[in-house]
Amino acid sequence: MSTMATSSAMDFDELSEVAGRVRRAIETVIEGKPDVVETAVTVLLAEGHLLIEDVPGVGKTMLAKALARSIDCSMRRIQFTPDLLPSDITGVSVFNQENREFEFRPGAVFANIVVGDEINRASPKTQAALLESMEERQVTVDTTTYQLEAPFMVIATQNPIEMEGTYPLPEAQRDRFMARVSMGYPEPAAELRMLDGHSAHDPLADLQPVTDGQQILRLVKTVQSVHVSESVKEYAVALVGATRRSQELRLGASPRSTLHLIRAARAAAALDSREFVLPDDLQELAVPVLAHRVLPAAEAHLGGRGSAEIIAGLVATVPLPRTRRD
Amino acid sequence: MTGHARISLAAWAATVLGALVLTPVFSGPFLFISAFLCAAITGTGIALQNLRTPRAVVPVVQLIVLVELISFIFLRDTLRYGLVPWKETALEFNQQMVNAMDSINRFSAPLPPDDHLTLFAASVIAATGLLIHLIAVQLRQAAWSGLLLLTMYTVPAATVHGGLPALLFIPPAIGYIVLLSAEGRTRLSRWGRRISGVSHLDASQPIEASALGQAGRRIGLSVVALAALLPALLPALPEGVVGNGLAGSGPGTGVGASISSTDPMLDMGKNLKRGDNVTALTYSGGPAGGTYLRLTALDQFDGNTWRVSGRDGGRKITNADLTTPPGYTGDLSKVTTSKLKIEVTRNFRSQFAPVPYPLRSVSLKDQWSYDPNVLDVLSTNGRGVAGKNYNLQVYDLQPTPEQLRDAVPTGEPDQYTSEVPSRTPERIRNLTSEVTADAKGNPFAQAVLLQNYFRSGEFTYSTDTDSQSGMRALQNFLLVNKTGYCEQFATGMALMARILGIPARVGIGFLPGQAGKNGEHIVRMHDMHAWPELYFGGIGWVRFEPTPSARVASTPSWTEQIGPAPITPTTNPTTAPTTPGQTEETDDPTANPDRNLPSESGSATVDQGNWFTNGGARIIGGVAAGLIVLSIPWLIRFLLRRKRFARLPGRAGVEGLWAELRDTARDLGLDWSDSATPRQLGEWLVGKLPPDLHPQARGLARGLEAVRYAGLTDDTTVDLRDDVQTVRKALWTRAKLLRRIRATVLPPSWRWYLNRGSAEASDLLDEFDLLLARIRSRLLPHRQAN
């Protein structure tokens, strides 16, 4: 850890300083949810997309907007409704009467941060339009492909699937989100503080950007330099493999989730000012990264065990890979 | 597949795997035939089960199928209409079985690939298979079928000389485990079916459904592993220490090793009781009236068996004369010799070549050796004497009664032939002195009186007794029922002679046989015989004949026409040039001057020494072996710890130290989780340690993280040895005394390694299960839909 370490030490200092600013900025809006904010920042630095799922009114949209606001970059918000069309998202070619040509009008997805509000209220066709651009970071309209600008992050919120008027996201599309977080109800004290703060004015209005897109791109580079040892990789594979063998799960996690798990763990390690990933990072991220991709088996479902509990149970039982010589 | 079919197939596999152990005993196609017969039984069982036949009927039908198949394969000629077994079939079967038993008695393993032996082996294996099927499938008690497999295993274990190859233990063990796990799975599946919906996953995931089978397998594996490993770990007790008393047989080349693998006495008993009396050998030449042919002499008696003492290796046979007959001090050049030509048939298998005594020279050379004490001729390559032709020269030593009477003690010829086992009953000693009271202490007169006592009407010759010559059998023979055959007569007289202080051993061989044409003698298996040989100073070993005239008409010439009173010494220039009083000659290389003691006290001393050295050594050895076994877990832990602490700083060193910490914690009964990260374990350690050691505990976790996860290129700076030592000591001192004792004597971490080993072996079996499941789902796609 000699020469490379000293040169990258500065990057790590910058990273933790900027991340701290973003976190503090978000926490002026979302109170009492440090772990949710932490995960959101982790996903941002790991170049992933975030799915926020919870009942209405707990601040999903607030979190999404706060994160977007704290970074000085283009931000678009799409309110998903049943009548939203794919072209509203991707953009559409319009015939210009003056120069008698088709002209591309970019849709809502052309921004650095896209907030998809209540994504499961739109029809599957529209959902698919957004989700394709998420994975490929490009949009194809009328045979022309338009690259999306980096950084690019989709923060989608959705209501639990049991709620009325929802089209649940298919497994394949949920798989594109790096992590899913649930807001949960705030603590009474935090809720009290919220009453004081939010009644007078909108805290979002006061939120000033604390960083910009270029800096985020640099931090993403720093995150990519975080070392992942063989042992950690094996552990990631073991964890994901365990979801595929578990009796309680009908569908295990995909190989893409292993990739996402490692990427998120890199960001988490960097946020902890560490230049290498620890199994602890994987354990912390296992539930947010894996839980939304698996399907509990009927028995587990009937037994009231959700996928988050099942994943947590697996984390507690899957042994760390043994090193060759001990 | 239904549970019934699964267990049936497992039972078949267990039987066939179990039958593999019989391959050193039988040869020929018996294995394939019995596998086929067992398959027929299994197939019948499965078919009948599917037809919902009453349970009691199934074995009956299986038995009928088995009988029909055996009759058809082996006894087709006796079948009525070419299909129906009849009375003749049963008679023929019985005859073949009798023949097979006879062959088994006659030959040592491996048996020849004869039809009747194949029939025997296949019938026995198929019957065992039927029983295993009955127990495991019909009665659902798979565990008990292990007894049958064990029985099958004991057959070669008991009959194959020199023991079985260790690997042969594995097939029946695997068979048993397969059977147990099949039963375990079936038992579990009777609780119900999995509800989970995704049907295509079921075929690839049968493992979890067989948790009980897995547990059964694990237990089975652990037990089998223990059974296989424990004897290997024990300090090896060579066969000689237990079996041969003082004589270590050792792995020496040639003679020593071969001798311990044959029991001539047992062979003789078998041969005498054989149904058919085939020719063993023919010989021509030699004295008129024929000559005794001897195989060997049993010189060692430990109270249980008479056996050939262990030897260091025989002497090479050259064209020159063999060594002089032991104990004979006369001038051999004046003794006449006879020439014999012996042809041994293929029926007589022995490591020893039948030769008269005392042998002068023999034409068997390569691969044969002789022993100078016994003058027997022994094969060094294990091929045996069957089918050999050889010529030999023999001294016509015919001592006169006078020479024998005047023989003077010259010390014992060797270390064994004067030994009287310490547990010889007093009543036998009393009987001996009673019978020989008239001899007035003259050894030869005593010997003749003994011989006459046995040949008097008091004893009955009969081969219908147990062929035993141990102390208990001899006691019974001499004191109670007085019925026996040559083995009892010979050993009885030899023992009594030893009690009198006359060195004695038991010769085994053939009576002279029946005279044929052209001076040829035909010796048959029923001519096998045993006789005592007594040692007289200056003359050597002299044969006596205590077996009654019902069996052997005449006694040796030198024992006839002699009264109990001593007669005047005379000298015979040809056979006994020694004069009485000449006591100084000890030409015999085997004579032991130190043992030239009065007989009674001599044997007593020897006995005491035996008890002390033998018994003491065994007890000490047993205790030491026990201690060594008990200390194996500790020893393994100790060596492992030393190795781990000896490693240099760096990745391997740190991993080893961390593993040491883990094992220490587990040894002390602490719950070290496998799924916890180093950091979590560091915090866990903090909870177990006094506050002043908290930094060390955390430092250890960080140190491990650094080498394991940070991808350091230069990790030799991380040295945790002192910290691990400190933490280890702290954990140790904070543990309860009982835990510490257990951690020393039986470290649980060691058990944990064992578990892991068995778990991994069990995983292998799971893979096998998985493979079977895949094949099953391929072959039976329609059943998957049900």
Side-chain angles (χ1 to χ4, degrees):
Chain A
M1 59 195 306
S2 47
T3 52
M4 202 193 84
T6 44
S7 67
S8 64
M10 268 161 54
D11 303 338
F12 279 90
D13 288 347
E14 184 194 4
L15 187 140
S16 59
E17 193 251 330
V18 172
R21 282 204 308 249
V22 172
R23 232 177 312 190
R24 278 192 299 279
I26 299 173
E27 277 169 3
T28 58
V29 180
I30 306 288
E31 282 184 58
K33 295 283 168 203
D35 43 342
V36 175
V37 175
E38 173 90 24
T39 309
V41 176
T42 307
V43 172
L44 169 72
L45 294 179
E47 285 190 293
H49 307 292
L50 184 66
L51 181 63
I52 308 171
E53 180 184 295
D54 220 323
V55 290
V58 290
K60 298 189 294 288
T61 316
M62 201 69 120
L63 171 66
K65 282 161 90 175
L67 179 61
R69 280 277 174 86
S70 61
I71 303 162
D72 183 18
C73 60
S74 59
M75 189 275 265
R76 298 289 281 273
R77 178 173 182 278
I78 314 166
Q79 183 66 46
F80 281 71
T81 53
D83 56 352
L84 192 73
L85 293 174
S87 57
D88 296 335
I89 291 173
T90 57
V92 66
S93 293
V94 185
F95 187 71
N96 190 323
Q97 294 283 7
E98 287 169 18
N99 47 21
R100 310 187 69 77
E101 270 179 356
F102 278 99
E103 200 170 76
F104 180 64
R105 284 257 191 90
V109 82
F110 284 86
N112 292 116
I113 295 183
V114 178
V115 177
D117 215 1
E118 303 200 330
I119 189 170
N120 56 343
R121 291 211 181 275
S123 64
K125 191 167 67 170
T126 315
Q127 287 173 357
L130 174 67
L131 293 158
E132 270 160 18
S133 56
M134 279 167 66
E135 183 65 17
E136 284 143 37
R137 288 166 198 271
Q138 63 185 25
V139 173
T140 306
V141 178
D142 294 344
T143 71
T144 318
T145 299
Y146 304 92
Q147 291 295 329
L148 296 174
E149 200 184 328
F152 174 66
M153 182 187 188
V154 173
I155 306 173
T157 71
Q158 72 167 345
N159 295 319
I161 49 169
E162 292 85 1
M163 305 294 278
E164 278 174 29
T166 58
Y167 299 91
L169 285 181
E171 301 94 327
Q173 301 192 351
R174 283 204 302 270
D175 202 27
R176 309 255 163 107
F177 288 97
M178 178 175 276
R180 181 188 65 180
V181 291
S182 291
M183 300 296 292
Y185 293 110
E187 299 285 309
E191 202 164 351
L192 269 177
R193 278 200 302 280
M194 184 198 78
L195 284 180
D196 293 340
H198 289 215
S199 53
H201 61 284
D202 183 7
L204 263 181
D206 295 345
L207 186 60
Q208 294 300 318
V210 291
T211 178
D212 57 26
Q214 289 313 307
Q215 193 169 30
I216 293 295
L217 275 184
R218 268 207 311 283
L219 298 185
V220 165
K221 283 255 155 29
T222 308
V223 164
Q224 283 166 352
S225 75
V226 169
H227 175 78
V228 183
S229 65
E230 283 305 309
S231 175
V232 167
K233 286 178 197 160
E234 281 171 27
Y235 185 47
V237 171
L239 272 180
V240 173
T243 66
R244 295 171 198 157
R245 282 190 304 273
S246 168
Q247 283 268 300
E248 293 185 300
L249 294 175
R250 195 151 57 92
L251 178 73
S254 60
R256 184 184 0 230
S257 55
T258 323
L259 266 174
H260 281 177
L261 188 58
I262 288 290
R263 260 161 58 186
R266 273 200 167 108
L271 283 173
D272 198 24
S273 305
R274 230 181 314 110
E275 292 167 41
F276 53 88
V277 176
L278 286 182
D280 304 76
D281 300 324
L282 299 186
Q283 294 200 344
E284 266 168 43
L285 287 163
V287 172
V289 174
L290 299 179
H292 63 288
R293 304 168 199 252
V294 298
L295 291 179
E299 292 96 321
H301 204 71
L302 291 172
R305 276 168 67 80
S307 33
E309 280 138 314
I310 296 169
I311 298 284
L314 288 177
V315 167
T317 51
V318 172
L320 256 70
R322 309 185 60 76
T323 41
R324 294 278 171 275
R325 300 175 57 188
D326 57 349
Chain B
M1 192 188 311
T2 62
H4 178 273
R6 185 185 302 127
I7 299 187
S8 301
L9 287 180
W12 175 79
T15 312
V16 175
L17 286 171
L20 275 179
V21 300
L22 293 175
T23 46
V25 181
F26 295 98
S27 41
F30 79 96
L31 196 63
F32 301 102
I33 294 175
S34 31
F36 166 72
L37 291 175
C38 292
I41 295 170
T42 308
T44 313
I46 295 176
L48 291 178
Q49 170 77 16
N50 284 346
L51 294 173
R52 309 247 179 267
T53 316
R55 195 180 273 190
V57 177
V58 178
V60 178
V61 179
Q62 283 175 320
L63 188 64
I64 292 172
V65 169
L66 180 60
V67 168
E68 175 64 36
L69 281 175
I70 289 181
S71 313
F72 191 76
I73 296 173
F74 292 98
L75 311 162
R76 204 176 307 174
D77 299 342
T78 63
L79 292 180
R80 282 271 169 101
Y81 317 115
L83 267 183
V84 188
W86 216 251
K87 195 175 134 200
E88 295 83 40
T89 317
L91 289 176
E92 179 64 23
F93 180 76
N94 184 45
Q95 186 55 45
Q96 298 251 22
M97 291 304 246
V98 168
N99 288 350
M101 288 304 288
D102 188 45
S103 295
I104 290 167
N105 281 332
R106 190 166 69 205
F107 299 117
S108 62
L111 297 167
D114 298 344
D115 277 351
H116 60 283
L117 286 171
T118 309
L119 166 66
F120 179 82
S123 309
V124 169
I125 294 170
T128 312
L130 182 59
L131 280 178
I132 289 180
H133 187 92
L134 182 71
I135 292 171
V137 184
Q138 302 293 335
L139 305 178
R140 304 252 168 196
Q141 299 289 337
W144 289 102
S145 59
L147 281 179
L148 288 168
L149 290 173
L150 191 67
T151 315
M152 207 131 74
Y153 185 73
T154 53
V155 172
T159 54
V160 176
H161 294 302
L164 288 178
L167 285 177
L168 214 52
F169 180 65
I170 293 173
I174 291 178
Y176 190 46
I177 292 169
V178 167
L179 185 55
L180 283 186
S181 74
E183 199 207 24
R185 277 190 59 177
T186 307
R187 266 175 203 248
L188 187 75
S189 61
R190 259 190 269 161
W191 289 93
R193 225 175 243 217
R194 282 179 61 199
I195 312 171
S196 102
V198 187
S199 61
H200 69 272
L201 290 177
D202 285 357
S204 65
Q205 296 190 325
I207 303 163
E208 280 82 6
S210 69
L212 206 63
Q214 219 170 347
R217 261 200 307 260
R218 271 182 202 179
I219 295 168
L221 269 177
S222 310
V223 170
V224 168
L226 264 181
L229 289 179
L230 210 56
L233 291 175
L234 281 168
L237 296 172
E239 206 175 60
V241 174
V242 183
N244 276 2
L246 286 168
S249 59
T253 53
V255 184
S258 322
I259 284 176
S260 60
S261 68
T262 33
D263 185 351
M265 197 70 102
L266 205 63
D267 282 350
M268 183 186 72
K270 284 178 183 173
N271 280 321
L272 285 177
K273 293 172 184 176
R274 287 175 54 142
D276 52 345
N277 187 14
V278 295
T279 303
L281 57 94
T282 54
Y283 66 91
S284 51
T291 176
Y292 277 60
L293 295 169
R294 204 185 59 163
L295 295 168
T296 184
L298 310 176
D299 47 6
Q300 205 181 349
F301 182 45
D302 57 6
N304 290 322
T305 44
W306 291 78
R307 63 176 77 238
V308 180
S309 60
R311 298 169 187 178
D312 309 331
R315 299 210 184 165
K316 262 196 136 40
I317 300 175
T318 58
N319 286 327
D321 290 354
L322 309 183
T323 49
T324 53
Y328 184 73
T329 52
D331 185 1
L332 275 175
S333 60
K334 294 178 184 166
V335 179
T336 58
T337 60
S338 336
K339 290 186 176 173
L340 273 88
K341 180 176 165 56
I342 297 184
E343 285 178 39
V344 181
T345 65
R346 296 213 162 267
N347 295 321
F348 182 66
R349 297 182 175 201
S350 168
Q351 309 276 62
F352 295 98
V355 290
Y357 184 87
L359 187 64
R360 183 178 173 186
S361 63
V362 64
S363 66
L364 293 168
K365 290 196 179 64
D366 294 338
Q367 314 296 344
W368 293 86
S369 67
Y370 78 99
D371 183 82
N373 281 345
V374 186
L375 287 184
D376 56 6
V377 178
L378 178 63
S379 157
T380 54
N381 64 353
R383 288 267 170 75
V385 75
K388 294 261 186 256
N389 296 335
Y390 49 95
N391 299 307
L392 55 86
Q393 268 195 312
V394 60
Y395 296 110
D396 296 329
L397 274 184
Q398 298 277 341
T400 63
E402 292 74 24
Q403 288 165 355
L404 288 165
R405 183 190 301 278
D406 300 337
V408 283
T410 54
E412 290 152 29
D414 55 60
Q415 55 178 317
Y416 306 116
T417 47
S418 299
E419 270 178 26
V420 180
S422 54
R423 54 193 181 91
T424 308
E426 201 54 37
R427 286 180 60 199
I428 294 185
R429 294 179 193 268
N430 293 342
L431 176 71
T432 310
S433 34
E434 209 176 286
V435 170
T436 58
D438 292 343
K440 302 197 174 72
N442 181 286
F444 177 62
Q446 286 173 330
V448 173
L449 282 174
L450 279 180
Q451 174 182 295
N452 294 343
Y453 170 65
F454 281 110
R455 286 177 71 92
S456 67
E458 234 177 294
F459 286 85
T460 317
Y461 180 86
S462 166
T463 52
D464 293 337
T465 53
D466 297 335
S467 65
Q468 295 283 325
S469 51
M471 192 57 82
R472 190 176 294 270
L474 281 182
Q475 193 177 347
N476 194 31
F477 168 70
L478 292 172
L479 304 172
V480 187
N481 64 6
K482 305 201 174 187
T483 303
Y485 61 101
C486 52
E487 178 180 346
Q488 282 78 36
F489 284 100
T491 53
M493 176 160 169
L495 176 66
M496 288 167 93
R498 285 189 185 187
I499 290 172
L500 292 168
I502 310 171
R505 61 192 189 190
V506 177
I508 290 243
F510 290 95
L511 290 170
Q514 194 182 0
K517 51 195 174 195
N518 306 333
E520 210 179 56
H521 278 81
I522 299 164
V523 179
R524 299 175 192 278
M525 288 295 184
H526 283 188
D527 289 326
M528 276 208 88
H529 189 50
W531 59 87
E533 292 181 349
L534 273 57
Y535 183 83
F536 293 93
I539 296 160
W541 292 101
V542 177
R543 174 169 57 84
F544 283 80
E545 188 50 86
T547 308
S549 49
R551 164 82 174 151
V552 186
S554 60
T555 53
S557 59
W558 49 85
T559 62
E560 287 164 3
Q561 305 158 345
I562 182 160
I567 53 171
T568 322
T570 55
T571 51
N572 184 322
T574 51
T575 54
T578 52
T579 51
Q582 231 179 331
T583 55
E584 70 281 359
E585 79 274 18
T586 48
D587 306 16
D588 181 8
T590 57
N592 186 345
D594 292 342
R595 292 196 169 212
N596 199 353
L597 294 166
S599 57
E600 290 294 334
S601 61
S603 48
T605 323
V606 168
D607 288 346
Q608 255 181 23
N610 268 352
W611 178 84
F612 184 74
T613 50
N614 266 0
R618 271 186 210 173
I619 290 167
I620 292 166
V623 170
L627 283 179
I628 290 173
V629 169
L630 282 181
S631 66
I632 285 173
W634 170 83
L635 198 68
I636 289 179
R637 273 297 280 128
F638 173 76
L639 292 176
L640 200 60
R641 178 158 58 243
R642 243 187 46 171
K643 196 177 109 192
R644 285 165 170 170
F645 273 105
R647 278 190 200 145
L648 293 173
R651 180 182 300 269
V654 170
E655 290 286 358
L657 291 172
W658 187 254
E660 177 56 38
L661 208 54
R662 176 196 65 206
D663 289 353
T664 305
R666 287 199 170 132
D667 287 348
L668 294 169
L670 302 176
D671 184 24
W672 179 289
S673 165
D674 263 336
S675 58
T677 64
R679 192 163 287 201
Q680 289 161 355
L681 288 168
E683 290 306 312
W684 174 82
L685 272 177
V686 162
K688 306 278 176 202
L689 294 170
D692 56 315
L693 287 177
H694 289 179
Q696 268 98 330
R698 294 203 172 99
L700 285 177
R702 294 295 147 95
L704 180 72
E705 282 178 355
V707 295
R708 197 186 271 181
Y709 303 117
L712 300 183
T713 46
D714 177 28
D715 55 16
T716 50
T717 51
V718 188
D719 186 0
L720 303 177
R721 276 180 281 193
D722 293 343
D723 286 352
V724 168
Q725 198 61 276
T726 324
V727 169
R728 217 183 85 79
K729 284 214 175 99
L731 282 177
W732 195 264
T733 46
R734 287 170 78 89
K736 286 185 188 142
L737 181 66
L738 267 176
R739 296 258 173 176
R740 273 186 272 165
I741 293 174
R742 192 184 68 166
T744 313
V745 179
L746 202 69
S749 66
W750 188 73
R751 223 171 41 198
W752 183 82
Y753 277 116
L754 206 68
N755 280 345
R756 223 183 99 207
S758 85
E760 258 157 38
S762 178
D763 285 349
L764 262 181
L765 284 174
D766 285 344
E767 292 290 320
F768 181 67
D769 253 10
L770 199 66
L771 190 76
L772 282 186
R774 294 233 166 96
I775 295 172
R776 212 165 55 214
S777 64
R778 289 266 162 80
L779 294 183
L780 303 166
H782 57 285
R783 299 198 79 155
Q784 206 68 70
N786 298 341

